């Protein structure tokens, strides 16, 4: 059961179809201006429409005692001009997280860091938690106990994808127990066409308060770090060669709870029956169904066509990661 957002109540069902027609007209105009083939206008219309919807969803944060995400965009421009290196670590949940040494954690602590999804199982407290939201009972219970109420994390900003707040369970969570909770809007750009990607993705990398979501919230987190002004972005625990997570080899109570959450999420996953040999975000079988590039193709495309132009370098820490063949590898202490 979904909770109807406030902005979809009232006259929304009456005027929404006319509003979509306006975005379709805007898409046609945009396509002509940028010499985009006419058969792509429906994709453009959906992107512009989703941008509108996601911004509205982010504003729903106030109804949960939270706020919408605000990013100081000018930092990016200043950083690009000065060439000063600003390092951010994006912390995934791959099993290679267990290989990070104490010295390396100390180094990460000296920089900006983004913990993705269930990274809050780990005892390391990043600069910000960046998570999607799953509407399953075990996830909701664990999320509230660990991400919202666990003392070491209570002062850490928690950013939640706005696209998930329409789910009824969210309103029962005690967001007020955390001082800094914000909803971030993401727009899915569902295309494999390189010209269309080249036309749309840079547009969002210049925006202050809305992010792209091509294949996973990893690429949303990268967009966030770029907008925040970081030009040395290193991926830690982003393995992709399998779907093993760092907490699956641990037997403490928190890790066991996280394993139960993961089992429940997988059992209810949209692509649970799709046969694959790599992580879901790197799976060509799944990306072909979604109309996206797999993350192993999207990130090198992003580096070459967007990040290089802004003097931003994306790298991966684990030399065995599937990304190591398409992105530079760079250690945490380098």
């Amino acid at each position: 059961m979904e909770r109807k957002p406030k902005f979809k109540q009232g006259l929304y069902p009456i005027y929404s179809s006319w509003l979509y027609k306006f975005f379709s007209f805007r898409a046609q105009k945009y396509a002509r201006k940028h010499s985009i083939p006419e058969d792509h206008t429906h994709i453009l219309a959906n992107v512009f429409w989703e941008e509108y919807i996601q911004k509205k969803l982010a504003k729903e944060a106030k109804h949960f005692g939270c706020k919408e995400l605000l990013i100081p965009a000018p930092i990016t421009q200043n950083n690009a001009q000065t060439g000063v290196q600003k390092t951010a670590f994006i912390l995934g949940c791959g099993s290679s997280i267990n290989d990070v040494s104490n010295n390396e954690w100390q180094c990460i602590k000296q920089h900006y860091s983004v913990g993705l999804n269930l990274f809050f199982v780990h005892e390391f407290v990043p600069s910000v938690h960046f998570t999607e939201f799953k509407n399953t009972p075990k996830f909701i219970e664990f999320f509230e106990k660990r991400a919202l109420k666990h003392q070491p994390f209570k002062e850490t900003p928690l950013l939640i994808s706005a696209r998930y707040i329409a789910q009824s369970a969210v309103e029962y969570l005690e967001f007020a127990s955390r001082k800094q909770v914000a909803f971030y809007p993401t727009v899915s750009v569902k295309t494999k066409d390189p010209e269309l990607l080249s036309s749309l993705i840079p547009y969002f990398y210049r925006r202050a308060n809305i992010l792209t979501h091509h294949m996973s919230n990893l690429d949303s987190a990268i967009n966030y770090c770029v907008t925040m002004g970081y030009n040395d972005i290193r991926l830690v625990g982003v393995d992709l060669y399998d779907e093993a997570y760092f907490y699956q080899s641990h037997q403490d109570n928190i890790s066991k709870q996280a394993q139960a959450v993961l089992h429940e999420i997988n059992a209810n996953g949209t692509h649970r029956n799709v046969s694959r040999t790599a992580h879901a975000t790197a799976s060509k079988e799944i990306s072909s169904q979604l109309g996206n590039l797999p993350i192993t193709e999207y990130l090198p495309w992003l580096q070459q066509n967007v990040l290089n132009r802004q003097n931003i370098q994306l790298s991966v820490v684990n030399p065995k990661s599937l990304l190591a063949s398409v992105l530079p590898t760079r250690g945490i202490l380098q």
Side-chain angles (χ1 to χ4, degrees):
M1 178 180 178
E2 289 191 348
R3 168 193 171 277
K4 183 178 285 188
K6 297 287 186 183
F7 81 93
K8 286 192 175 183
Q9 299 174 20
L11 297 177
Y12 176 83
I14 298 174
Y15 70 76
S16 59
S17 60
W18 291 98
L19 191 59
Y20 184 82
K21 288 180 181 178
F22 165 77
F23 286 109
S24 296
F25 174 76
R26 178 186 168 192
Q28 294 170 9
K29 190 174 180 181
Y30 186 94
R32 287 194 297 269
K33 180 178 179 181
H34 296 275
S35 301
I36 295 172
E38 187 176 344
D39 59 354
H40 286 330
T41 54
H42 70 287
I43 298 176
L44 286 170
N46 288 339
V47 168
F48 295 147
W49 174 253
E50 189 170 6
E51 180 182 11
Y52 167 78
I53 293 296
Q54 290 299 313
K55 285 181 177 179
K56 287 289 189 180
L57 282 175
K59 291 183 182 299
E60 294 275 307
K62 62 186 177 184
H63 301 302
F64 299 92
C66 305
K67 59 186 178 181
E68 60 181 305
L69 178 65
L70 297 175
I71 306 173
I75 294 178
T76 304
Q77 297 174 353
N78 294 339
N79 200 47
Q81 290 172 0
T82 61
V84 175
Q85 186 180 76
K86 291 184 64 180
T87 302
F89 292 97
I90 297 179
L91 310 173
C93 294
S95 56
S96 68
I97 283 290
N98 292 322
D99 299 328
V100 179
S101 69
N102 290 334
N103 285 341
E104 289 172 326
W105 283 123
Q106 287 300 315
C107 176
I108 294 173
K109 191 175 182 178
Q110 303 305 312
H111 296 277
Y112 193 81
S113 58
V114 180
L116 290 182
N117 296 326
L118 287 179
F119 184 81
F120 50 74
V121 176
H122 204 280
E123 287 301 321
F124 180 82
V125 181
S127 306
V128 63
H129 277 107
F130 200 93
T131 186
E132 295 178 344
F133 189 91
K134 302 298 182 182
N135 193 26
T136 64
K138 283 186 171 60
F139 177 86
I140 293 166
E141 180 183 2
F142 185 69
F143 182 85
E144 185 167 24
K145 176 182 178 181
R146 187 72 176 174
L148 292 179
K149 294 183 176 180
H150 186 50
Q151 187 59 44
F153 301 150
K154 289 184 71 171
E155 302 301 319
T156 304
L158 173 63
L159 308 184
I160 304 174
S161 175
R163 67 178 57 248
Y164 293 94
I165 69 170
Q167 299 170 64
S168 60
V170 178
E171 62 186 325
Y172 302 112
L173 291 174
E174 295 184 19
F175 288 121
S177 65
R178 287 282 297 266
K179 288 189 175 180
Q180 303 181 70
V181 181
F183 294 144
Y184 66 90
T186 59
V187 173
S188 297
V189 180
K190 299 292 185 183
T191 181
K192 296 181 179 181
D193 185 89
E195 291 187 9
L196 193 53
L197 285 172
S198 295
S199 176
L200 288 173
I201 298 299
Y203 167 79
F204 290 102
Y205 271 73
R206 294 190 298 268
R207 305 288 284 182
N209 301 317
I210 191 160
L211 308 171
T212 53
H213 181 286
H214 184 75
M215 190 58 188
S216 77
N217 75 331
L218 169 60
D219 53 84
S220 300
I222 292 168
N223 193 166
Y224 170 77
C225 288
V226 170
T227 310
M228 286 285 287
Y230 294 95
N231 56 3
D232 173 14
I233 303 172
R234 307 185 200 182
L235 310 182
V236 185
V238 180
D239 303 334
L240 304 178
Y241 41 71
D242 59 23
E243 294 188 327
Y245 299 100
F246 70 85
Y247 48 83
Q248 288 180 290
S249 60
H250 300 174
Q251 296 303 312
D252 58 279
N253 288 334
I254 294 298
S255 295
K256 287 182 178 180
Q257 290 174 44
Q259 291 165 32
V261 169
L262 180 63
H263 178 76
E264 184 181 64
I265 291 172
N266 289 339
N268 290 279
T270 306
H271 305 288
R272 60 185 178 277
N273 296 321
V274 177
S275 178
R276 53 187 184 268
T277 57
H279 191 273
T281 59
S283 167
K284 291 187 177 181
E285 295 83 1
I286 291 177
S287 64
S288 63
Q289 289 186 8
L290 295 173
N292 300 15
L293 295 172
I295 198 73
T296 46
E297 293 181 21
Y298 176 70
L299 291 188
W301 176 90
L302 182 71
Q303 179 66 64
Q304 181 176 352
N305 294 277
V306 179
L307 302 185
N308 280 348
R309 297 174 185 178
Q310 299 184 41
N311 296 317
I312 296 165
Q313 183 60 62
L314 190 63
S315 59
V316 61
V317 168
N318 179 7
K320 296 180 181 179
S321 168
L322 285 187
L323 291 171
S325 63
V326 292
L327 290 175
T329 56
R330 188 170 185 183
I332 292 171
L333 300 177
Q334 290 179 300

mmCIF file of all heavy atoms in Angstrom, residues 8 46-47 69 91 100 156 192 226 273 286 313:
data_model
loop_
_atom_site.group_PDB
_atom_site.id
_atom_site.type_symbol
_atom_site.label_atom_id
_atom_site.label_comp_id
_atom_site.label_asym_id
_atom_site.label_seq_id
_atom_site.Cartn_x
_atom_site.Cartn_y
_atom_site.Cartn_z
ATOM 1 N N LYS A 8 -0.129 15.191 -4.552
ATOM 2 C CA LYS A 8 -0.975 14.433 -5.473
ATOM 3 C C LYS A 8 -2.439 14.403 -5.033
ATOM 4 O O LYS A 8 -3.272 13.768 -5.677
ATOM 5 C CB LYS A 8 -0.441 13.006 -5.627
ATOM 6 C CG LYS A 8 0.831 12.918 -6.465
ATOM 7 C CD LYS A 8 1.154 11.493 -6.832
ATOM 8 C CE LYS A 8 2.356 11.429 -7.770
ATOM 9 N NZ LYS A 8 2.674 10.062 -8.207
ATOM 10 N N ASN A 46 9.781 12.035 -20.359
ATOM 11 C CA ASN A 46 9.769 11.311 -19.086
ATOM 12 C C ASN A 46 10.807 11.855 -18.112
ATOM 13 O O ASN A 46 10.564 11.923 -16.901
ATOM 14 C CB ASN A 46 10.013 9.821 -19.331
ATOM 15 C CG ASN A 46 8.825 9.134 -19.979
ATOM 16 O OD1 ASN A 46 7.702 9.621 -19.904
ATOM 17 N ND2 ASN A 46 9.075 8.010 -20.638
ATOM 18 N N VAL A 47 11.963 12.241 -18.626
ATOM 19 C CA VAL A 47 13.010 12.816 -17.770
ATOM 20 C C VAL A 47 12.544 14.142 -17.178
ATOM 21 O O VAL A 47 12.670 14.379 -15.971
ATOM 22 C CB VAL A 47 14.321 13.003 -18.557
ATOM 23 C CG1 VAL A 47 15.307 13.869 -17.773
ATOM 24 C CG2 VAL A 47 14.950 11.642 -18.863
ATOM 25 N N LEU A 69 16.934 18.138 0.386
ATOM 26 C CA LEU A 69 18.378 18.285 0.238
ATOM 27 C C LEU A 69 18.726 19.619 -0.405
ATOM 28 O O LEU A 69 18.166 20.005 -1.421
ATOM 29 C CB LEU A 69 18.930 17.151 -0.620
ATOM 30 C CG LEU A 69 20.428 17.183 -0.914
ATOM 31 C CD1 LEU A 69 21.225 17.003 0.365
ATOM 32 C CD2 LEU A 69 20.794 16.100 -1.919
ATOM 33 N N LEU A 91 31.743 4.813 0.195
ATOM 34 C CA LEU A 91 31.909 3.525 0.865
ATOM 35 C C LEU A 91 30.760 2.585 0.528
ATOM 36 O O LEU A 91 29.638 2.742 1.010
ATOM 37 C CB LEU A 91 31.990 3.745 2.377
ATOM 38 C CG LEU A 91 32.996 4.812 2.840
ATOM 39 C CD1 LEU A 91 32.864 5.063 4.333
ATOM 40 C CD2 LEU A 91 34.423 4.393 2.486
ATOM 41 N N VAL A 100 39.976 -3.261 4.517
ATOM 42 C CA VAL A 100 40.450 -1.912 4.842
ATOM 43 C C VAL A 100 41.106 -1.932 6.222
ATOM 44 O O VAL A 100 40.511 -2.380 7.199
ATOM 45 C CB VAL A 100 39.288 -0.895 4.821
ATOM 46 C CG1 VAL A 100 39.787 0.495 5.192
ATOM 47 C CG2 VAL A 100 38.636 -0.878 3.434
ATOM 48 N N THR A 156 25.068 12.246 12.463
ATOM 49 C CA THR A 156 25.542 12.196 11.084
ATOM 50 C C THR A 156 24.389 12.470 10.120
ATOM 51 O O THR A 156 23.323 11.870 10.263
ATOM 52 C CB THR A 156 26.134 10.808 10.764
ATOM 53 O OG1 THR A 156 27.158 10.518 11.706
ATOM 54 C CG2 THR A 156 26.709 10.763 9.360
ATOM 55 N N LYS A 192 20.365 4.114 -23.389
ATOM 56 C CA LYS A 192 21.732 3.681 -23.679
ATOM 57 C C LYS A 192 22.347 4.532 -24.779
ATOM 58 O O LYS A 192 23.521 4.361 -25.102
ATOM 59 C CB LYS A 192 21.737 2.210 -24.114
ATOM 60 C CG LYS A 192 21.277 1.228 -23.049
ATOM 61 C CD LYS A 192 21.347 -0.189 -23.578
ATOM 62 C CE LYS A 192 20.916 -1.196 -22.530
ATOM 63 N NZ LYS A 192 21.003 -2.577 -23.024
ATOM 64 N N VAL A 226 30.358 15.364 -6.698
ATOM 65 C CA VAL A 226 30.801 16.343 -7.690
ATOM 66 C C VAL A 226 30.161 17.697 -7.408
ATOM 67 O O VAL A 226 30.828 18.743 -7.420
ATOM 68 C CB VAL A 226 30.451 15.871 -9.121
ATOM 69 C CG1 VAL A 226 30.676 16.993 -10.133
ATOM 70 C CG2 VAL A 226 31.296 14.650 -9.491
ATOM 71 N N ASN A 273 14.518 -13.095 -10.071
ATOM 72 C CA ASN A 273 14.532 -14.297 -10.913
ATOM 73 C C ASN A 273 15.421 -14.145 -12.148
ATOM 74 O O ASN A 273 15.462 -15.042 -12.990
ATOM 75 C CB ASN A 273 13.103 -14.644 -11.346
ATOM 76 C CG ASN A 273 12.216 -15.012 -10.169
ATOM 77 O OD1 ASN A 273 12.665 -15.683 -9.237
ATOM 78 N ND2 ASN A 273 10.972 -14.578 -10.197
ATOM 79 N N ILE A 286 20.054 -7.365 -16.363
ATOM 80 C CA ILE A 286 19.136 -6.442 -15.699
ATOM 81 C C ILE A 286 19.115 -5.085 -16.400
ATOM 82 O O ILE A 286 18.052 -4.498 -16.618
ATOM 83 C CB ILE A 286 19.524 -6.279 -14.214
ATOM 84 C CG1 ILE A 286 19.242 -7.580 -13.470
ATOM 85 C CG2 ILE A 286 18.752 -5.118 -13.570
ATOM 86 C CD1 ILE A 286 19.637 -7.568 -12.014
ATOM 87 N N GLN A 313 38.483 13.217 -11.122
ATOM 88 C CA GLN A 313 38.930 11.854 -11.358
ATOM 89 C C GLN A 313 38.204 10.881 -10.436
ATOM 90 O O GLN A 313 38.204 11.022 -9.225
ATOM 91 C CB GLN A 313 40.441 11.710 -11.135
ATOM 92 C CG GLN A 313 40.972 10.313 -11.433
ATOM 93 C CD GLN A 313 40.718 9.885 -12.878
ATOM 94 O OE1 GLN A 313 41.211 10.518 -13.805
ATOM 95 N NE2 GLN A 313 39.957 8.816 -13.077
#
